[in-house]
Amino acid sequence: MKGFANMLKNISRNKWFLLMVLPATIWFLLFSYLPMVGTIIAFKSYRYSRDGFWASLFHSDWVGFKNFKFLFATHDAYIITRNTLLYNLAFIILGLICSVAMAVVLSEIVNKKLAKVYQTGMFLPHFLSWVIIGYFAFAFLSEDKGVLNQILTGVGLHPISWYSDKTYWPVILIVMNVWKELGYTSVMYLAAIVGIDRSYYEAAMIDGASKWQQFKNITLPAISPLIITLTLLNVGRIFYSDFGLFFQLPRDSGALYAVTNTIDTYVYRGLTATGEIGMSTAAGLYQSLVGFVLVMAANLIVRKIDKDSSLF
Amino acid sequence: MAKARTLNQPSRASNTILNVIAAVFSIACVFPFLFVIIISFTNEKALSRDGYRIIPKEWSLEAYRYIFKTGDQLLRSFGITVLITVVGALLSLVLISHFAYAISRSSFRYRNFFSFIAIFTMLFNGGMVPSYIINTRMLHLKDTLWALILPLAVNAFYIMIMRTFYRTTVPDAIVEAGKIDGAGELRVFYSVVLPISLPGLATIGLFSTLGYWNDWFNALLYIDNPNLVPLQALLMRIENSMQFLVTNSALSGSGQGMALLSTLPQDSARMAMVVLATVPIVLAYPFFQRFFISGLTVGAVKG
């Protein structure tokens, strides 16, 4: 009884703070935590009921791990996992190399005003949606009007049906993703490089160190905590893919699914096209669970290296 | 010192190379947008004859004339986008600024619990299907503007940025002084904390403005009513219909295909719509960039 009275007293003492967190907390309950409860659909044979969500949930039969068994029995499960992992791996490695390189380039340019202008240009794609970028890409890849096919026919080669030939898409997707985010990520590294004490470089120069030696022995060690942190956080997200990139850029073209289908696009198509509610939910839960383990592991490692950079 | 610094500058030749690398990539980032502008000003006949050209043989304003003459749908979609962007950004500012402030105060007894509620959503989520079913079957958001506003209103990442911002820029002393003067927790928040937190609020506001303006995903899932389709989703629908015609080329000769084709804007008009969807971002861009960079640094400092 005393504990209860205490609790009431605490609540009343914190009532204004509680009022402040209330609206967003309701949002979290409705839009984040209810869907987590909803993942039990993955263990059910989901049937729509006219009496709403809870009725459908309760009246659907338990099927245990059957949805998961079906999912992993398909070839799709392998394809979407492979695509998601390999693309993310390419994005992480190539993105890291390119953005550190671009940050070094920008930091070395003598005319700082000019460097700022370049940076402003590079930042633009980050602000645009994949729908818009899909149109940009179409101006180049369109089969009858695109610039690339004009060039190909111009030099006497056969035009390519870009949106039905999957050969080139791994490269297109990787290049476009790096292109879109490079300006943004290089700014983070640039900020870290600019923050390095100039006297290190002066001392190194007096000792006759070349630019490469300076980069290897001063710049790289100084920005490596940031590199490790950002990379590990990306590794933690390796099971998630950018839906827009894989859905909008290839124009949802069925001929390209083998190289453009990721876990996220698979779940979406399961929900909207094939109506495989149980299996889609299972695929989503598979993604969330593996993703959870990876984020926790990545965060644990980041904490060990640099406590301030960890997510929590 | 100044002399040593100039000495450490790259040689003239390597400086030129560095400039070329940065300039080429920078142009590669801006060029596609310029190209789309050029296409939108190209004569439609020249487009179907020559394809997309960087220097078209015939210029034309026809695309823009067409859009403004027959652009009911475009105008409506533009209106929807502006509406959800304004309402959504304001709503998310209200929700995020309050929540983040409470969990930033060490005098809030339950701050760890509520921080956990936010952070856990960054680690685990129910996925697309349960969200879709709950939003449509329980909250009945299908074909309402709320489907475009609510799912994006709160984001744990923005809350963490804002919490860090309060912790680093709002000194305890100010809050305590306010309380000694007899102001309650809410009064202190509105009249003392919020005014000095404007840079942080601006950052979050811009993040979410951009998020709403560029969103097409929620429209893809929840909106069937053509009167409620936002701009990005309208562009997406046109693109999908075009692709549908291309992949079903048997259809494009048939009456049904011709009927569908006649409802779609022509090449130059489609590109003009892309330009109109992008121009507001480009105009607001210098402003954005400044806050984005400051936002990155705010986010980088952990409280």
Side-chain angles (χ1 to χ4, degrees), chain B residues 10-23:
Chain B
S11 68
R12 189 176 284 259
S14 41
N15 187 44
T16 311
I17 296 173
L18 295 175
N19 269 282
V20 168
I21 295 173

Side-chain angles (χ1 to χ4, degrees), chain A residues 7 10-11 14 16-21 23-25 27-28 30-36 38-39 41 46 48-50 52-54 56 102 105-106 108-110 114 116-132 134-136 138-140 142 145-147 150 163 179 182 184 187-188 198 201-202 205 211 214 237 240 243-244 247-248 251 253 264 267-268 271-272 277 280-281 285 288-289 292 295-296 308 310-312, chain B residues 1 4-5 7-10 15 18-19 21-23 25-26 28-33 35-36 39 47-48 50-53 95 98-99 101-103 105 107-110 114 116-135 137-139 141 150-154 156 159 185-186 189 210 214 216-217 220-221 232 235-236 238-239 242-243 246 267 270-271 274 277-278 281-282 285 288-289 292-293 296 300 302:
Chain A
M7 200 177 91
N10 281 330
I11 287 177
N14 289 279
W16 297 116
F17 283 136
L18 287 169
L19 201 64
M20 285 173 143
V21 295
T25 304
W27 186 93
F28 277 125
L30 289 179
F31 293 95
S32 295
Y33 288 94
L34 261 183
M36 288 183 206
T39 54
I41 294 169
Y46 189 74
Y48 278 112
S49 153
R50 280 195 302 161
F53 169 67
W54 295 110
S56 333
M102 191 52 80
V105 166
L106 287 170
E108 288 287 333
I109 285 173
V110 177
L114 219 49
K116 192 90 197 154
V117 172
Y118 300 144
Q119 207 185 312
T120 305
M122 286 173 206
F123 229 116
L124 180 67
H126 177 76
F127 294 112
L128 305 177
S129 76
W130 282 115
V131 172
I132 299 288
Y135 275 90
F136 287 1
F138 187 72
F140 292 87
S142 161
K145 295 175 185 147
V147 172
Q150 286 180 41
Y163 289 98
W179 172 81
L182 185 54
Y184 179 79
V187 165
M188 284 194 261
R198 287 290 119 191
Y201 292 99
E202 280 143 24
M205 197 204 48
K211 278 279 171 195
Q214 289 179 26
R237 305 267 322 154
Y240 290 89
F243 183 80
F247 185 75
Q248 296 293 353
R251 307 198 134 201
S253 167
D264 298 86
V267 172
Y268 169 76
L271 172 67
T272 56
I277 301 288
S280 297
T281 312
L285 187 57
S288 289
L289 284 175
F292 178 73
V295 172
M296 292 305 281
D308 288 337
S310 66
L311 210 56
F312 47 88
Chain B
M1 184 91 169
R5 227 175 134 169
L7 268 175
N8 198 29
Q9 279 177 352
N15 187 44
L18 295 175
N19 269 282
I21 295 173
F25 183 66
S26 183
C29 284
V30 181
F31 176 73
F33 179 54
F35 190 34
V36 163
I39 297 171
L47 274 186
S48 45
D50 311 329
Y52 302 136
R53 286 290 175 95
L95 293 175
H98 285 80
F99 190 95
Y101 177 69
I103 62 170
R105 302 300 309 163
S107 52
F108 180 32
R109 191 184 166 92
Y110 307 106
F114 285 98
F116 177 81
I117 283 188
I119 289 172
F120 189 69
T121 63
M122 295 205 267
L123 308 176
F124 189 80
N125 66 72
M128 195 188 296
V129 182
S131 294
Y132 176 83
I133 293 175
I134 285 166
N135 288 345
R137 308 268 299 150
M138 192 182 137
L139 304 174
L141 297 180
L150 290 178
L152 294 175
V154 179
I159 287 181
E185 212 66 72
L186 283 181
F189 178 62
L210 215 55
N214 280 337
W216 44 269
F217 183 68
L220 179 67
L221 283 182
Q232 303 276 343
L235 287 169
M236 178 186 73
I238 293 170
E239 187 190 282
M242 289 305 297
Q243 192 58 32
V246 172
D267 249 324
R270 289 204 302 277
M271 291 307 191
V274 173
T278 314
I281 293 182
V282 174
Y285 181 54
F288 268 155
Q289 198 194 11
F292 254 75
I293 292 172
L296 286 180
K302 214 179 144 266

